[in-house]
Amino acid sequence: MKPPRNPFRLRRSESIDSEATFLSLFEPGILDILPVEAWKESVQVIRSAAGGGKTSLMRLFVPGALQTLHAMHTHRTDEQTGELFQKLKELGAIDEAGPKLLGVSLLCGRGYSRLEDLPLDDARKSRLFFGLLNARIVLAVLHNLAAFKKLDFPEGLAQVQVRPPTVSFSVPSLSLPCDGLRLFEWARDLEHKVCSSLDSFGPLRVDSLPGHDSLLSLALIRADTLLVGGEPLADRVLLMMDDIQQLTSAQRERLIEAVIEARSPVGVWIAERFEALNTNDMLASGTNEGRDYNEPISIEKYWRPKHARFEKLAIKIADRRVRYAADAEINAFRACMQDSLDVPQYEPVFARACEEIEARIIARAGSSKRFEEWIAARRQAQGTPRDLAVGWRSLEVLIERELRRPQKSLFDDLLLEEEELEQKNDSSVRNAAELFLARECGLPYYFGPECVARLASLNIKQFLGLAGDIFEESAASELLKKGAALSPERQHKLMKRAAQAVWDDIPNGVAMGRELRNFLEAVGKFSHWYTYRPTAPNDPGVGGTALRMSERGLLMDENHLRARPNHKRFADILASALAHNLLVADLDYKCKGEKWMVLNLNRLLCVHFDLPLNYGLYKERPLQQLVDWIDRPFAEPKTEGSLL
Amino acid sequence: MIRNAVPIPPMRWRDYVLEKGQGLAAFWARHLDARERSVLVVLGKGFDPRSHAGLDMILAAGGGGSRNVLGLDYDEGEGSASLAYASRVERNWEHITGAVGDRGMVNVHRLRFWSGKRRVGPLNAANVFNAPEELTHYDDVVVDISAMPRGIYFPLLARLLFLLDEAVPGQTGPTNLHVIVADDPLLDSRIMDEGIDETAEFLHSFEGSFSREATGQQSKVWIPLLGEGRTTHFDRIYDRVKPDEICPVLPFPSKNPRRGDDIVQEYRDLLFDQHRLDPRSLMYAAEQNPFEVYRRVRKAVFHYRDTLSLIGGCKVALSALSSKLMSLGTLMVAYELKPLLDIGLAHIDCRGYRVEDFESTPELFGLWLAGECYAV
């Protein structure tokens, strides 16, 4: 198939037709989230918001992808996959002889939840669940085994020998040892019997449906129980179960418990969206887990402390997509955008800004001799028009801070020296000044590849959406011979438009979306008001709020929530915001002698409220105020400091 | 694959009865005038101003016999945005009970939408009726879907068709099944879904073999009927079906001749950029004739079946993101072909609705789906 016009629009791995294309577009750095040692032979939970990259990660390990990668490596057909091959080799998934593991991807969200609605007791429901799951695990393994060994499906399975893992092992209605075809028929018939009863037009008849007491399929699919030509089919089997969030919470717990209890040599991945977690788990952010199995991998959480690395990876992903595009002469994502305001077009704007700010400063502090040196220093400063404007604006902030200092010292009337100005004028103040300038002068602020990568909020799908918007216009511009690099203004407008679309979609696409958006709007407006105060506190600005860890404890306390329904509602809304990556939480953040749960707005929502994109700066609020924000919008206080 | 080898059967609804507007009122006047008839009208106890338009018309048509009403009372859960319109629901219901008066009994069936975090509305809708005997003492069962969500009327109608098909012939005269819908695209466009479910699902009794791992290697074809303001639905149903082929259906002929083009414009990014749709896969079906939709979609299903049988067959998922009137076409295809083919109805629900303006000038449509006219 012809490469697409805009490859960024292929946001799902399943939208990419061929394995070769998928491998070329896969950025190997993503594999860093896997623990080097324990990933193959243990139970590994992988979580993320939608679009975090779980499904792409799993696709990498299925036979088709590994075989294609091996062929590409052997024949050197694609230079871009060399690093990927090396990484997978280090992980033990492949070597020069070919794939070393049988990866099996199984979608687990399909139709299981309706088992919970049957008029049966819990034990029978559990038996039905395990029966159906066993059948599907076996079928998925046999499908992938046929692909791995290049056997016809299902006829070729007759060449597979299935032996019991132990002498005493038995399976209802199946005698072991048997061949793969017999195993296939057993599983197919079991699945058919359950599914056709559930899917009947008539009233349900469920009395005679078959079921199993445990996850016995894990014993049947071990690498040493499935033989081809008398040899184990691979070094190991990796079962990757996706979409677990679609199971009911009881089924999910049963499954995880059964997988752990099985202590099988088969590696099992359990991939789920955050939605799988209940409100308590969501607020706990997985901190109570990790004893019986590997620490869950939370993709966004993994990248949070390494966000700069994620952003570099994102740009590499974008470069791969750009190169894959049809009909475009662009060879790198950076070529799609200008990333500086130091161009003649903006010089008059900055010059005018300098004049206006200087006039404001003189009006505010010109009568005092204290700032004479500071003002003189700015008048004599050298640099680009942008540097000078930023210098003036940061001076205005610093003077404002001096003038508003609550406690006057004995030396408050002393002349402030230039040296002190340089000390105070750090990068945070300059960043705040840049933000203020952008807003006051109508200058673009959200532009450049690093900015777009930051706006992904650590989510690949979100990044592809934003980068796709940039590439779309860039490719069109290049086609019209206007040059591929979009101006900062255009980039800024595109990011604003994307932020607006996300904002508009919240009531539509999220449970309790309208209340959630009310809350986010209050957080955003509060952050905006706090950020743009004349003294630029918490420079360059805040992108969220925080509540005490002790108050977060209340939101997880059933008794408290029973007594305070509005807190229960808030806890659910907060959990929904976290599950959809609209808020990003940092737990146990130490500040002012206390521990805080920091709630950062999704970086794209920061664009909606004209906030800076740095992580970690916040202004805390009491729990009750956050709760009130759902129904009562944030209103700017009439006097400075009345809220603080 | 063996299922795919069956020859194309005759169309169940090749000849059909579809009336609208004054023609529909005249049809009911004639129908009820012929002899005394007991009629059951099943309708939604909803906020939609169209919810009683069908009942009003039937009551106005005259004739002898009882005119019973079963109102489905939706329990949408605490978080439903529709709760804001509770007073409208009550007003509509008062109108209904007042209009029926002593012509028959008015009953209410509470329909729970949620069991914990699970959506059970479709299952409960199917279970409103459980045996043919609940229907066969009526001459006519009329389902007015004007105030029913798709997730309710699809399983409900499928169960009714099934029970009437299962009814022992000869014991009683055939019970007729009619569907009424008050069509008003303008009002439909003003009813906005709030809190769309995270994941789409196949409707109760319409999952087909889509979840089956045993046939997991078969190609999947998805035929969505496209409508305005449903791109999120499209995206999430796509995620559930994960089709290999998409064959969207656009409304044409339509009152607004540009409507199909406008819809393509709205779905452009999804169809052509994300899923790389070949424009030749677009299909067209009449906006106001669900039987035409039925014919077109049915033909496409068999076309795909025959073409893809060379590579192991296919499964076909249908979805209605369109008007309720058009959506009935997909129901007819799925109901008729389910015993013969791997076919399913993929759907996504929401947690309530927000309406900007209730002003409505609906046009009533009536479909006669089963009974006397098909018994010849």
Side-chain angles (χ1 to χ4, degrees), chain A residues 2 4-5 9 12 14 106 110 114 117 136 143 191-192 199-202 248 507-509 514 580, chain B residues 118 159 193-196 198 202 205 207-208 212-214 235-236 239 242 269 273 276 338 354:
Chain A
K2 191 184 167 195
R5 193 177 49 79
R9 298 300 191 218
R12 297 175 175 84
E14 53 267 39
L106 178 68
R110 305 184 305 188
R114 64 185 57 177
D117 303 318
R136 287 184 176 162
H143 269 303
E191 185 188 43
H192 176 75
D199 203 36
S200 152
F201 280 134
T248 68
N508 188 257
R514 201 153 286 277
H580 290 88
Chain B
R118 288 192 315 287
R159 177 64 66 86
D193 289 5
E194 291 257 307
I196 301 166
E198 304 294 346
F202 284 90
S205 70
E207 185 162 35
R212 298 203 193 167
E213 204 59 43
D235 204 37
R236 293 185 183 179
D239 262 347
K242 297 193 192 306
D269 175 66
D273 289 338
R276 306 173 76 184
K338 189 188 159 190
R354 193 166 54 86

Side-chain angles (χ1 to χ4, degrees), chain B residues 10 20 26 38 56 107 111 128 163 212 224 279 287 290 299 305 367 375:
Chain B
K20 66 173 180 173
S38 60
D56 291 345
N107 291 310
L111 205 60
V128 171
L163 292 177
R212 298 203 193 167
E287 177 185 64
K299 190 175 172 190
R305 180 201 71 166
L367 294 79

Side-chain angles (χ1 to χ4, degrees), chain A residues 319-331:
Chain A
D319 285 340
R320 287 173 181 266
R321 301 254 167 175
V322 166
R323 285 195 288 269
Y324 181 55
D327 311 326
E329 301 290 321
I330 310 164
N331 56 13

Side-chain angles (χ1 to χ4, degrees), chain B residues 48-231:
Chain B
D48 197 309
R50 298 169 291 185
S51 62
H52 49 71
L55 175 69
D56 291 345
M57 183 202 60
I58 289 171
L59 292 172
S66 63
R67 301 288 182 263
N68 292 350
V69 169
L70 178 65
L72 303 182
D73 184 12
Y74 308 136
D75 176 0
E76 296 179 80
E78 284 177 9
S80 170
S82 309
L83 293 175
Y85 309 117
S87 60
R88 284 185 172 273
V89 174
E90 282 315 307
R91 216 157 49 230
N92 286 338
W93 189 243
E94 275 170 25
H95 175 95
I96 287 165
T97 50
V100 174
D102 57 3
R103 298 289 309 276
M105 294 196 305
V106 178
N107 291 310
V108 173
H109 183 103
R110 187 86 171 144
L111 205 60
R112 204 160 45 92
F113 277 33
W114 295 95
S115 169
K117 287 188 169 180
R118 288 192 315 287
R119 187 177 279 285
V120 292
L123 176 64
N124 289 337
N127 289 335
V128 171
F129 296 98
N130 287 298
E133 299 75 45
E134 296 169 35
L135 305 169
T136 47
H137 57 276
Y138 289 105
D139 294 298
D140 296 275
V141 174
V142 182
V143 182
D144 187 336
I145 63 170
S146 307
M148 287 187 197
R150 286 169 185 77
I152 298 302
Y153 69 76
F154 272 30
L156 174 69
L157 286 172
R159 177 64 66 86
L160 287 170
L161 278 168
F162 175 77
L163 292 177
L164 292 175
D165 286 349
E166 288 283 291
V168 181
Q171 282 189 351
T172 57
T175 299
N176 299 312
L177 176 63
H178 307 264
V179 179
I180 288 180
V181 54
D183 191 49
D184 181 355
L186 190 62
L187 179 58
D188 286 340
S189 69
R190 288 196 224 110
I191 300 178
M192 313 295 289
D193 289 5
E194 291 257 307
I196 301 166
D197 289 351
E198 304 294 346
T199 48
E201 257 309 337
F202 284 90
L203 280 171
H204 173 72
S205 70
F206 285 110
E207 185 162 35
S209 66
F210 271 85
S211 295
R212 298 203 193 167
E213 204 59 43
T215 54
Q217 83 288 2
Q218 283 186 348
S219 299
K220 283 179 268 187
V221 178
W222 182 33
I223 306 181
L225 269 61
L226 300 187
E228 296 86 348
R230 294 268 197 284
T231 48

Side-chain angles (χ1 to χ4, degrees), chain A residues 444-556:
Chain A
Y445 183 75
Y446 304 107
F447 62 91
E450 282 75 18
C451 173
V452 176
R454 175 71 59 92
L455 289 176
S457 242
L458 310 176
N459 185 282
I460 295 291
K461 193 175 175 189
Q462 186 164 316
F463 173 72
L464 291 177
L466 298 171
D469 290 347
I470 297 279
F471 182 76
E472 181 78 32
E473 293 221 359
S474 173
S477 177
E478 191 230 3
L479 194 69
L480 296 170
K481 309 286 181 208
K482 292 180 180 172
L486 296 186
S487 70
E489 277 136 308
R490 190 61 200 149
Q491 295 172 54
H492 181 91
K493 276 188 185 150
L494 288 173
M495 296 302 103
K496 278 276 183 190
R497 193 174 73 185
Q500 185 68 46
V502 169
W503 185 252
D504 291 343
D505 193 49
I506 293 173
N508 188 257
V510 182
M512 306 177 82
R514 201 153 286 277
E515 293 99 325
L516 170 55
R517 198 171 69 167
N518 288 349
F519 172 65
L520 294 174
E521 182 157 28
V523 174
K525 285 185 170 170
F526 170 71
S527 302
H528 179 96
W529 167 76
Y530 190 77
T531 294
Y532 287 98
R533 290 171 70 214
T535 53
N538 264 6
D539 47 21
V542 300
T545 185
L547 72 159
R548 286 183 180 81
M549 287 299 284
S550 55
E551 291 176 318
R552 166 222 182 230
L554 292 176
L555 295 177
M556 298 167 68

